[in-house]
Amino acid sequence: MMNPEVQVTQALKSIARNDHIKSYIQQSNELYPLLVKAAKRFVTGENKQEGIEVAKELIKKDYFISLEYIGENTTNVEECRKDKDEFLNLIEEMGSLSMNQTVSLDLSHIGLSVDSETAHIHLLEVAKRANLYGITLMISMEESSKTNNILDIYKKTTEQCPNVGITIQAHLYRSINDIKELIHYPGKIRVVKGAYQESANIVMPRSKELNNRYLELVEQLIEANHPVSIATHDESLIQEMEHRQYLNHPHVEIEMLYGICPGLLSNLKSKEYNCKVYLTYGIEWYLYLCHRIAEYPENLYGLVMDMINPSIVERNSLY
Ligand code: FDA
């Protein structure tokens, strides 16, 4: 019998992928505003300006930032072009503010759900523009059915634009082999545990085994002197990496999602490690919010409180 927490997590991951529920919420005058309030726990807002404002505050506090215009699975070419243009606008604005930080994106947001060629062309354009301003572009990793395509597009692009990096999911068994190859490309590698529900024969569940695999991947990158982003909120895993002296390596940063474990990141920053906050904005916050709840169902309590009490704590002040 599956434990109730795993059942809730799996149900939430399925809800996240359900287009009927998503459009019902988007069209509901009652539910939509309530959920937007809840989403603000993890998302800076619905527009670019809100993302930039939060980024400025965090940079003032000596954090690095990564900013994403949220969206994925855009299946219409015209929409992909508009979303790619939004990334270009974001980069222009960051450039004009001398914010030479990081922009993150999902390839299925800018073309992969149409075809690989569209994603590659759009990625190259965004990467070249980012390069002009010293901005790093990090590609997120999506469902395992897309892994090969995402890695191929990354490899082609980073050869021309070394400011492009890639995310690797430790929970996928294949990642241990992928990383051996990726180490020969210049881009930064962000190591995450993995957020997508996949079949048990290709991924490890959250476990000691997964944490050991995570350590193994990071170790390979450190030994190769490769730029790495340690993207986890797992305190025991972070403590182990601190103990192994991984965190004070100059090519290493610790990256956490906005609104999650801010106290832990602030404590790491006080020890002068490179700490980065991953910020998101955009109207497609629904899937992002579902992922954050699915990863940690206890978040539901906080979200319900946020819906009832409009005076949400300013997330920034927690960093
Ligand atoms: P784990 O899930 O084991 O959690 C460890 C502890 O962290 C929990 O006990 C809890 O205290 C805290 N925690 C974790 N998640 C929380 C939450 N949502 N709310 C509150 N507390 C929480 N995934 C992916 O598949 N593709 C990608 O491209 C990315 N990109 C990405 C970028 C960055 C910067 C981060 C930090 C994460 C991602 N992820 C991702 C998500 C990632 O795969 C993973 O699902 C989450 O980071 C949660 O896993 P942890 O490593 O934190 O460990």
Side-chain angles (χ1 to χ4, degrees):
M1 174 86 177
M2 206 185 277
N3 89 43
E5 200 161 293
V6 174
Q7 280 178 312
V8 170
T9 300
Q10 292 192 350
L12 284 163
K13 287 188 178 182
S14 304
I15 290 172
R17 287 263 162 251
N18 188 312
D19 283 339
H20 295 298
I21 300 178
K22 179 180 161 184
S23 64
Y24 175 77
I25 289 172
Q26 281 174 335
Q27 284 159 27
S28 162
N29 292 334
E30 290 81 32
L31 260 183
Y32 188 83
L34 273 178
L35 282 173
V36 167
K37 269 187 221 158
K40 282 257 184 173
R41 185 172 276 261
F42 302 118
V43 177
T44 61
E46 291 197 311
N47 64 58
K48 173 164 91 263
Q49 224 37 56
E50 289 171 288
I52 295 266
E53 285 313 313
V54 175
K56 278 187 192 161
E57 292 302 313
L58 290 169
I59 291 168
K60 260 192 231 156
K61 294 183 184 181
D62 288 334
Y63 287 95
F64 296 98
I65 63 97
S66 178
L67 196 46
E68 181 192 359
Y69 164 49
I70 324 172
E72 54 180 278
N73 295 331
T74 311
T75 49
N76 168 303
V77 182
E78 189 48 30
E79 288 297 318
C80 291
R81 197 188 53 73
K82 278 195 202 142
D83 291 338
K84 177 264 298 175
D85 287 344
E86 171 69 19
F87 279 105
L88 293 177
N89 291 338
L90 172 64
I91 286 165
E92 286 294 337
E93 178 133 8
M94 287 171 70
S96 72
L97 295 165
S98 304
M99 229 183 237
N100 52 344
Q101 301 267 341
T102 302
V103 168
S104 291
L105 50 68
D106 280 29
L107 288 184
S108 67
H109 191 187
I110 58 162
L112 190 59
S113 300
V114 177
D115 58 38
S116 292
E117 191 52 20
T118 309
H120 182 222
I121 292 169
H122 284 169
L123 179 68
L124 253 185
E125 188 180 349
V126 177
K128 285 180 179 167
R129 189 73 58 90
N131 212 12
L132 289 180
Y133 297 107
I135 292 172
T136 302
L137 195 63
M138 289 300 293
I139 303 172
S140 297
M141 189 49 75
E142 306 180 48
E143 298 94 322
S144 60
S145 55
K146 300 177 187 159
T147 308
N148 282 339
N149 280 343
I150 294 175
L151 292 181
D152 286 347
I153 296 169
Y154 161 70
K155 288 174 193 166
K156 277 194 274 184
T157 310
T158 196
E159 277 172 352
Q160 279 189 57
C161 301
N163 61 321
V164 176
I166 186 75
T167 307
I168 278 291
Q169 296 159 330
H171 76 169
L172 282 185
Y173 289 113
R174 60 172 284 170
S175 294
I176 193 77
N177 293 322
D178 289 334
I179 212 143
K180 290 191 174 88
E181 214 186 316
L182 293 172
I183 238 159
H184 300 294
Y185 292 82
K188 180 183 284 184
I189 299 180
R190 176 196 277 146
V191 185
V192 301
K193 286 194 187 178
Y196 293 87
Q197 191 173 355
E198 305 277 1
S199 50
N201 58 328
I202 61 165
V203 293
M204 293 172 222
R206 295 291 194 264
S207 57
K208 180 91 186 111
E209 186 195 8
L210 172 57
N211 280 14
N212 286 339
R213 174 55 59 85
Y214 194 105
L215 289 169
E216 208 179 330
L217 295 174
V218 172
E219 187 172 79
Q220 288 196 31
L221 293 166
I222 296 212
E223 279 175 0
N225 239 344
H226 198 93
V228 52
S229 169
I230 291 172
T232 180
H233 316 92
D234 186 331
E235 193 165 4
S236 63
L237 190 54
I238 292 170
Q239 274 169 358
E240 179 58 29
M241 288 187 273
E242 186 175 25
H243 176 70
R244 295 183 185 197
Q245 309 272 317
Y246 291 172
L247 306 187
N248 38 24
H249 199 281
H251 294 305
V252 170
E253 67 190 17
I254 309 147
E255 187 174 9
M256 294 190 193
L257 304 176
Y258 179 64
I260 300 181
C261 304
L264 175 58
L265 195 64
S266 157
N267 184 32
L268 291 164
K269 191 172 68 68
S270 70
K271 297 181 187 174
E272 302 197 346
Y273 300 131
N274 296 322
C275 292
K276 181 177 275 185
V277 186
Y278 186 110
L279 306 169
T280 54
Y281 74 89
I283 54 167
E284 291 281 337
W285 46 261
Y286 169 76
L287 190 57
Y288 185 83
L289 180 66
C290 287
H291 273 311
R292 303 297 75 87
I293 303 170
E295 278 160 1
Y296 198 69
E298 285 94 323
N299 280 330
L300 278 172
Y301 306 133
L303 295 175
V304 170
M305 294 306 292
D306 289 348
M307 285 190 224
I308 296 165
N309 178 7
S311 58
I312 323 167
V313 185
E314 265 291 327
R315 295 288 125 195
N316 275 353
S317 64
L318 303 175
Y319 286 93

